[in-house]
Amino acid sequence: MSAQPDESSTVRSLDAEPSAGRLEILRVLGRPATSDSVVDQILVSVGTAIVEGRLRPGDDLNSVELARTFRSSRTPVREALLTLEREGLVEIAAHRRPRVRGLLLGEVREIYELRATLYGLVSRRIVEKAADSDIEVLRTCQREMDRAADAGDVDRYFWLTVGLRNNEAVIAGNATVGRVLDGVGVRTLQLRHLGLSPPGRLRTSAADHARLLRAYEERDAGLASALSETIVRRGLLAVESVGWTGDRSPRTSP
């Protein structure tokens, strides 16, 4: 059981400006991009804090403090936390504070196996049907990712890779695959961010994606599919390398 946080701990974890993940959190949860409701403000703040590792598995979520932070009653807080519970980011048990949920390693491996297979299919379809303008969209994403990797900006790089993968899914044009990937939900974002945290990981990831882009440019479907699966599987290896158990993820820096 995690230690009880002091009264202001939740506030300290959430007071940063929402990252570029705001639109992604709302998109995956099926909320309007323009929404500014209190419920969605809480969803974005708590969701991005979990994804970016400012709130970790086992951390308590103080409903009273959240209501105070967002100047609301506890009803919007409860609705937001229940939504995050459905997405697998929060667990709510009787007679206990809600807390951040961690996927067990077995669940993580199953999710990554599914993602590797689906992204391999996505990459194959991109080679088969992408227009030159579509490839240019991916080039633009890659340039921005390279800049973020050079700067060592994990959060920016992470959300850029999420945007790249979303663009790939759109270009592939398989709505069913897109829905399945979205159906895995926000819970994968936490793991994908963690997988970029080990030292040197950003440059390795950027190089892998650059090779994938060249495969798209050369219209090599088999290579693109294999590289895409490899990228996902390397992400899993990175998650395993930091000792993820699903109980409480370790810090990667002092």
Side-chain angles (χ1 to χ4, degrees):
M1 181 182 300
S2 61
Q4 292 293 322
D6 63 51
E7 186 178 61
S8 61
S9 61
T10 304
V11 176
R12 285 204 308 273
S13 297
L14 301 178
D15 60 4
E17 284 294 318
S19 72
R22 177 182 183 277
L23 291 178
E24 179 64 13
I25 295 289
L26 293 175
R27 185 190 74 80
V28 174
L29 294 178
R31 319 288 283 207
T34 56
S35 175
D36 195 37
S37 71
V38 175
V39 171
D40 287 344
Q41 290 177 38
I42 298 169
L43 281 173
V44 167
S45 292
V46 176
T48 54
I50 293 172
V51 168
E52 294 177 356
R54 288 176 280 120
L55 287 172
R56 300 183 299 141
D59 282 351
D60 290 319
L61 298 168
N62 188 327
S63 299
V64 173
E65 282 301 313
L66 284 169
R68 187 177 303 164
T69 298
F70 291 93
R71 298 185 174 90
S72 73
S73 69
R74 295 178 67 178
T75 299
V77 174
R78 189 179 304 110
E79 181 180 341
L81 294 182
L82 285 171
T83 298
L84 292 173
E85 182 188 36
R86 288 193 295 272
E87 294 298 324
L89 286 183
V90 169
E91 58 182 351
I92 302 174
H95 312 302
R96 291 190 59 176
R97 282 182 180 173
R99 65 179 184 174
V100 178
R101 179 178 183 265
L103 290 170
L104 298 177
L105 187 56
E107 297 175 273
V108 172
R109 288 170 175 158
E110 290 175 357
I111 289 173
Y112 271 76
E113 181 179 8
L114 175 62
R115 290 183 61 244
T117 300
L118 292 180
Y119 278 121
L121 173 61
V122 165
S123 290
R124 183 175 292 277
R125 285 182 61 86
I126 288 172
V127 168
E128 293 170 351
K129 68 189 301 294
D132 290 343
S133 58
D134 294 326
I135 302 299
E136 183 56 37
V137 168
L138 301 181
R139 284 195 195 100
T140 300
C141 292
Q142 183 66 45
R143 285 193 291 269
E144 292 299 315
M145 288 163 57
D146 288 340
R147 292 190 187 101
D150 288 342
D153 190 336
V154 174
D155 288 346
R156 176 166 171 74
Y157 182 88
F158 166 70
W159 291 112
L160 285 167
T161 62
V162 171
L164 172 71
R165 285 305 201 181
N166 289 344
N167 281 327
E168 287 178 328
V170 171
I171 294 168
N174 188 320
T176 299
V177 169
R179 283 194 297 270
V180 172
L181 286 169
D182 281 346
V184 175
V186 179
R187 72 191 70 182
T188 62
L189 298 178
Q190 178 189 34
L191 299 168
R192 290 160 67 184
H193 186 280
L194 180 65
L196 293 170
S197 62
R201 178 74 179 110
L202 292 188
R203 292 188 182 278
T204 299
S205 175
D208 286 345
H209 281 92
R211 284 191 286 272
L212 177 58
L213 177 61
R214 287 195 294 273
Y216 289 151
E217 292 169 337
E218 295 167 5
R219 303 294 177 166
D220 190 330
L223 179 59
S225 179
L227 286 170
S228 199
E229 290 193 29
T230 297
I231 288 171
V232 176
R233 296 186 192 283
R234 283 189 176 178
L236 173 59
L237 290 175
V239 170
E240 293 176 333
S241 75
V242 299
W244 175 274
T245 65
D247 179 29
R248 188 175 180 85
S249 61
R251 295 190 185 277
T252 55
S253 60

